Amino acid sequence: MDASTELRRYITLDGLLDIFGNRRLRFTRIDKFNDRFEGSVPKRQIDDQLPLFASRKTIQMMHHMSMPFRPNHDPWIEMTLRRRAKIRSAHASCWTAGPESEAMWRLYCRDDGVEGQGVALQSTLGKIEASIARHDLYVAPVMYRHYHEGNAFDDELDPFMHKRLGFAFEREVRLLKYDHEHYFRLTAALTAGDPGAAESPELSDHIFLDWCPSDVIERITISPYASAEYEAQVRDAISSVDPSDRVELSVLNERRYGPQF
């Protein structure tokens, strides 16, 4: 993806005020996203493990028939625990590549209970990458595919950076913060065979990284579904934290470009 590619983050007005007022960028723990497929793998990945796990389970049964059954010694359960632990050890900030998207307004913005009402921060991939370089993040476009067909994943981060093909309209670029140390501690606890140890300390639902939005954001766009009152409220609120002249009304708003009949 070219460094000049436009990226947008669709958020609430309160979210914007937090970013500018506190000069920080919020990341959400990936298991808190709505998509239950976050962190999962393609069917081929499971099929490839069938022979390996089948032979391992046979050996375990032969050598440990006299021992109490411990569920986490089942290779399938252990692998599931490990994969789910990954998404409990990672946070992401999600942006959308390309031009303004009507669908993204409706999906991610609902200020004052109005579907699609909110704001969007616009920058470029190059500026955002430069702004978070010191935070040791992984930044890349999400790849979209069917999970019931195609090859298995071959990289540790692939489960974070793929989504099902039906989500392709999001054109997501993901800023990923992966805590390897937490993942290792968590998997050790979950696979230890001690139910009490499974309650390993969780990372926070959200983390905040120091960030200077005034150096990164090129435009702040007000929703196409914003009423005149909401637009005035947004402009007044933003002026208190960002006195620049970067606020604009969406090109999809009829008050900016009306219909031509």
Side-chain angles (χ1 to χ4, degrees), residues 17-212:
L17 295 177
D18 180 73
I19 289 173
F20 275 87
N22 295 300
R23 294 165 59 91
R24 63 184 188 176
L25 189 59
R26 190 180 82 164
F27 287 66
T28 300
R29 206 173 75 199
I30 290 181
D31 67 316
K32 299 301 180 182
F33 290 164
N34 289 330
D35 184 4
R36 294 186 60 193
F37 277 65
E38 289 282 0
S40 66
V41 297
K43 181 178 182 295
R44 175 63 62 83
Q45 201 109 11
I46 303 300
D47 293 343
D48 290 348
Q49 291 168 342
L50 279 169
L52 174 65
F53 284 178
S55 60
R56 176 180 168 184
K57 191 166 186 178
T58 300
I59 293 171
Q60 286 179 332
M61 290 177 64
M62 292 175 62
H63 289 279
H64 301 288
M65 288 182 66
S66 61
M67 296 178 63
F69 175 68
R70 294 165 70 176
N72 60 320
H73 278 192
D74 182 287
W76 290 109
I77 294 177
E78 183 172 324
M79 186 58 69
T80 296
L81 291 173
R82 290 180 181 276
R83 288 190 175 125
R84 289 181 175 169
K86 270 184 179 291
I87 59 173
R88 292 165 59 185
S89 302
H91 293 77
S93 174
C94 305
W95 296 67
T96 300
E100 193 179 336
S101 167
E102 190 274 343
M104 296 301 288
W105 282 115
R106 289 188 289 106
L107 187 61
Y108 286 104
C109 296
R110 187 179 284 272
D111 271 351
D112 300 331
V114 178
E115 183 181 59
Q117 187 164 264
V119 292
L121 306 177
Q122 184 271 311
S123 185
T124 64
L125 175 60
K127 282 189 174 182
I128 290 176
E129 284 185 313
S131 73
I132 49 86
R134 62 193 175 93
H135 289 302
D136 188 29
L137 304 182
Y138 180 74
V139 182
V142 169
M143 306 299 290
Y144 299 93
R145 55 166 291 177
H146 288 308
Y147 276 42
H148 59 275
E149 60 187 31
N151 295 330
F153 291 153
D154 58 8
D155 186 272
E156 178 186 25
L157 297 183
D158 277 348
F160 297 129
M161 305 307 297
H162 285 78
K163 297 181 75 170
R164 289 169 291 169
L165 195 58
F167 288 82
F169 72 94
E170 293 181 347
R171 304 191 306 271
E172 182 180 340
V173 173
R174 183 166 286 191
L175 283 56
L176 179 72
K177 181 71 171 177
Y178 181 38
D179 191 330
H180 290 83
E181 291 187 5
H182 180 268
Y183 170 70
F184 292 137
R185 292 195 306 270
L186 183 59
T187 53
L190 292 173
T191 60
D194 178 4
E199 299 300 325
S200 181
E202 294 280 14
L203 296 178
S204 299
D205 289 358
H206 301 96
I207 60 173
F208 298 87
L209 302 185
D210 292 339
W211 198 58
C212 186

